[in-house]
Amino acid sequence: RKEVEQDPGPFNVPEGATVAFNCTYSNSASQSFFWYRQDCRKEPKLLMSVYSSGNEDGRFTAQLNRASQYISLLIRDSKLSDSATYLCVVNEGTGRRALTFGSGTRLQVQP
Amino acid sequence: NAGVTQTPKFRILKIGQSMTLQCTQDMNHNYMYWYRQDPGMGLKLIYYSVGAGITDKGEVPNGYNVSRSTTEDFPLRLELAAPSQTSVYFCASSLDLSYNEQFFGPGTRLTVL
């Protein structure tokens, strides 16, 4: 089983739509969680951290469910500029000194 | 601040050749990382460093070497290039190991023929 799993997509949605991505992780000791955004042929950039209580940043909402070991990202009122690949990233805690990246979910917002 | 810079942007190598991928950061971060990303895949950690003179292996270190003589620079050396090393290589840096944002360079696209 992969350590961090995501649906690769693509998710094709019209402008203005609401879209949600899920990501599951296998290590219950994982301590911190992030969503990164990666545009085509570019480097990943942090979109938002994911906190236990859930957090919101404008049109983006991230949730963490430790019991079921998944995190989610909700994008409301999708814009063309949201088209990108969204990477789920997990810090697996003690003994691991770096982050584990999912393969990403591709989003294509269409006019 | 330039952030994290990488050179070269693109490179084609023949099997068996060697090269060094350069990475420099100007944010005074102690922690630096090298990842590779194969098409349609997530990033895999090759090596990381927690400060000048200290490096350690990541998930996929075979075929690579690193050094960290200064806080700013973290070069990645490929010895005896193989087609399996065709990938995009990203260097990153951060304030700490896992809880803070990692800042990535623009990447080096390497093809081994």
Side-chain angles (χ1 to χ4, degrees):
Chain A
R1 182 183 171 186
K2 287 185 183 176
E3 294 167 330
V4 178
E5 278 201 80
Q6 296 183 251
D7 181 342
F11 284 57
N12 295 304
V13 303
E15 270 186 293
T18 296
V19 62
F21 309 135
N22 281 342
C23 163
T24 58
Y25 59 94
S26 60
N27 187 343
S28 59
S30 297
Q31 295 182 352
S32 53
F33 309 87
F34 309 88
W35 283 102
Y36 277 68
R37 170 190 168 131
Q38 187 173 25
D39 292 309
C40 188
R41 301 176 77 83
K42 298 284 191 181
E43 71 272 22
K45 293 184 179 178
L46 180 67
L47 178 66
M48 58 197 303
S49 302
V50 186
Y51 304 125
S52 295
S53 55
N55 48 301
E56 189 173 308
D57 183 2
R59 298 181 293 108
F60 299 84
T61 300
Q63 297 278 354
L64 168 63
N65 185 318
R66 284 192 184 272
S68 300
Q69 294 181 208
Y70 77 84
I71 68 174
S72 64
L73 177 68
L74 181 78
I75 305 175
R76 290 180 299 277
D77 189 22
S78 299
K79 312 289 185 194
L80 294 174
S81 57
D82 293 333
S83 297
T85 296
Y86 291 84
L87 305 174
C88 172
V89 184
V90 174
N91 163 27
E92 296 194 339
T94 304
R96 288 298 299 267
R97 291 181 168 270
L99 306 176
T100 300
F101 286 77
S103 300
T105 297
R106 193 154 68 87
L107 172 66
Q108 185 67 46
V109 181
Q110 294 162 338
Chain B
N1 282 354
V4 180
T5 57
Q6 292 182 239
T7 57
K9 286 189 169 56
F10 306 92
R11 185 72 185 267
I12 298 174
L13 284 182
K14 293 182 179 176
I15 293 172
Q17 286 185 318
S18 301
M19 76 166 293
T20 299
L21 282 65
Q22 302 291 345
C23 175
T24 300
Q25 54 94 8
D26 62 0
M27 295 174 283
N28 203 32
H29 287 167
N30 278 326
Y31 304 96
M32 296 187 74
Y33 316 84
W34 274 106
Y35 295 92
R36 61 176 285 173
Q37 186 176 34
D38 299 328
M41 304 294 287
L43 281 74
K44 302 288 186 187
L45 182 67
I46 304 171
Y47 271 95
Y48 66 95
S49 170
V50 301
I54 307 170
T55 63
D56 206 349
K57 294 178 181 178
E59 190 179 354
V60 290
N62 292 342
Y64 307 95
N65 276 302
V66 294
S67 59
R68 184 96 182 269
S69 56
T70 67
T71 299
E72 294 78 21
D73 300 307
F74 190 39
L76 177 72
R77 177 83 178 159
L78 277 72
E79 305 282 1
L80 297 174
S84 60
Q85 293 178 304
T86 294
S87 191
V88 181
Y89 291 84
F90 289 104
C91 178
S93 72
S94 68
L95 274 174
D96 70 16
L97 283 169
S98 296
Y99 293 95
N100 279 93
E101 177 179 1
Q102 289 195 9
F103 294 84
F104 285 81
T108 294
R109 295 184 177 276
L110 176 67
T111 301
V112 182
L113 300 173

